[in-house]
Amino acid sequence: MGGKQDQDEEAYGKPAKYDPSFRGPIRNRSCTDIICCVLFFVFILGYIAVGILAWVYGDPKQVLYPRNSTGAYCGVGENKEKPYLLYFNIFSCVLNTNIIAIAQNGLTCPTSQVCVSSCPKAPWTVEPKQFSQTVEQVFYAADRKFCLPGVPGNMQVLQSLQQELCPSFLLPSTPALGRCFPWTNSTVPELPGISNTSISQSISGLLDSLNARDISVKIFEDFAQSWYWILVALGVALVLSLLFILLLRLVAGPLVFVLIIGVLSVLAYGIYHCWEEYRVLRDKGASISQLGFTTNLSAYRNVQETWLAALIILAVLEGVLLLMLIFLRQRICIAIALLKEASRAVGYMMSTMFYPLVTFAFLLVCIAYWAIIALFLATSGQPQYVFWAPNSSLPGCEKVPMNTSCDPTEQVNSSCPGLMCVFQGYQSTGLAQRSLFNLQIYAVLGLFWTINWVLALGQCVLAGAFASFYWAFHKPRDIPTFPLGSAFLRTLRYHTGSLAFGALILTLVQIARVILEYIDHKLRGAQNPLTRCILCCFKCCLWCLEKFIKFLNRNAYIMIAIYGKNFCVSAKNAFMLLMRNIVRVVVLDKVTDLLLFFGKLLVVGGVGVLSFFFFTGRIPRLGKNFENPQLNYYWLPIMVCILGAYLIASGFFSVFGMCVDTLFLCFLEDLERNDGSADRPYYMSKSLLKILGKKNKGTPGDKKRKK
């Protein structure tokens, strides 16, 4: 037996040896993974260079502002006082064209477009008797400033209509997305060749495809009416999360056992229900042999074999849980004691609970920077203009080179009716355009790497703070004055490279998953079962690999925060330490998951129920100052409150989970390093010593130690 134990010990490394100078996170440490640190900084400089290149060549105004026929922006420059775009004949966009294609092309249409200061408010159409009049009489004198810039007032109306320099009709419109779209309930004028039914259907379809502006206005109004009550609900979620964590030191034990008994009770009821269903179907003689094979899965509920199989599975699970509860009761008690100790640590270092705000700010910067780069890269290139005419088969258009380049600043002199120099798109030549795909890939890699590095920084900083709590023998007297700030500065100064190393490994796996998802999306139409099966297996393997790397990185960062060694050594030591105590790891992990799941359920469910009763007006006699607001969609603030409560609870409980993991590794190290003697006392709490049947014969102060 002793030889086998020694072999297992050798397989998972030797236990940590006693070090008289060790009393918590090492202060005298050096920089780790310098090569990866240099690589990370070089990559960041390249990331900044990509941003500068995108800023130089990009033009995001084409996404933020609409363009007229000449490619000029509405709302900026010479059109600063004309923020809206008017389509002369919007039905050329919707009668014979796919709405989705129009939206993807920036809502451009094969008709003249002009920037206007305001959208038309009343329906109007050019009457036949006005064809011989001038543009000045029909448009300018009547304050209809909807013609293209530069149209002379003495031009005949008929000529301006033939060349599409002025609109032949106007519809009452409202601005949406910077463009004038007709009202669905407006009175449509009689137009030659187009029925009123087609017009109404086209307008309705266009507005529906643009997500119904009225709904967005109502949503904005609901937020304006309920934003302060949403903040109150989020404040309640914050208080509930904090109270739950702080009270765990008092109720962790009873709560864990209540949850375990609850799980056993649910399984017992499931066994009883399956037995009753099985007994009834057995008496009826309903057997699977009578049913046979069918794709209708609901039919299997009416055969006795289904309920018998479910009964056996639930009975096995019940038996396994009971045996685990009996034989692993000491390890469950250790897990509960560590949860209490984690609650105590958080109580001494309350600043750690709000560190997720720092992580959130860093993540916001990373995501915003990538989004800006992606926007500028997507809009890089110089605008191109080509000749276009509404009908190239008319007399005078035969010799005009349609779809060839032109200069929009020069006046078009041609006998072709309606010939214009219109905006076509952006050129794909140039430094940024030729390398656009590569630059976008670089930006995506930068997004993943920086996000994972920020998350790694948060884990390592929290681990350093909580480790300083555990290795303080007299708590809270021996806890450093600013444990979180010290851990933050120490991590940035010495371990940026190690964090970048771990983040890079995780990033490569995530990029591989993204590539597989893209391939799966492209091959989805092929419906090849073998290919889909292979891709599914690869995706499953990469998912498992990502989960394992996250677990390994998390524990490696804890060891880095304590001992200051490089990433590979820390990951190896953490993995070997956990493997030497694999049963304790599994028990603690499951107990913690169960408890934190209940905490999230309590916080999110409580805030959700409270929000539902408040916003639906089901809480009577609240007083005038606490009346529920009148809303168009009461479910909207409720969903926002639930989502916000979940994010707040996740942030708080992630800190608590990191605290539990850190204290657990320190506890395992404490068991291997020390023996409770006067020279080697345990640093764990008295409750843990009592559970293990151990005690200290002295304190670290009995024999002076050096850092």
Side-chain angles (χ1 to χ4, degrees), residues 437 512-524:
F437 179 77
R513 289 192 64 195
V514 170
I515 294 174
L516 274 183
E517 290 291 343
Y518 176 78
I519 295 174
D520 182 48
H521 177 73
K522 287 296 183 181
L523 297 179
R524 190 163 295 173

Side-chain angles (χ1 to χ4, degrees), residues 67 113 350 355 409 464 599 648 673 679:
R67 284 177 174 272
Q113 304 157 39
M350 289 294 296
Y355 185 81
T409 60
I648 290 174
R673 284 180 175 276
D679 293 335

Side-chain angles (χ1 to χ4, degrees), residues 28-107:
N28 298 325
R29 56 180 71 193
S30 58
C31 295
T32 56
D33 295 303
I34 298 176
I35 296 177
C36 198
C37 180
V38 174
L39 178 63
F40 183 64
F41 278 114
V42 171
F43 181 86
I44 293 298
L45 291 176
Y47 200 20
I48 295 174
V50 171
I52 295 174
L53 192 64
W55 181 78
V56 171
Y57 288 95
D59 186 15
K61 289 189 296 183
Q62 63 168 301
V63 177
L64 303 177
Y65 300 98
R67 284 177 174 272
N68 63 13
S69 296
T70 63
Y73 296 108
C74 299
V76 295
E78 60 182 8
N79 294 322
K80 186 176 182 180
E81 304 299 328
K82 300 177 180 180
Y84 308 120
L85 184 70
L86 175 68
Y87 299 97
F88 280 12
N89 184 10
I90 196 171
F91 308 112
S92 62
C93 311
V94 296
L95 289 179
N96 300 313
T97 310
N98 190 315
I99 299 297
I100 302 300
I102 294 173
Q104 291 177 344
N105 292 327
L107 299 180

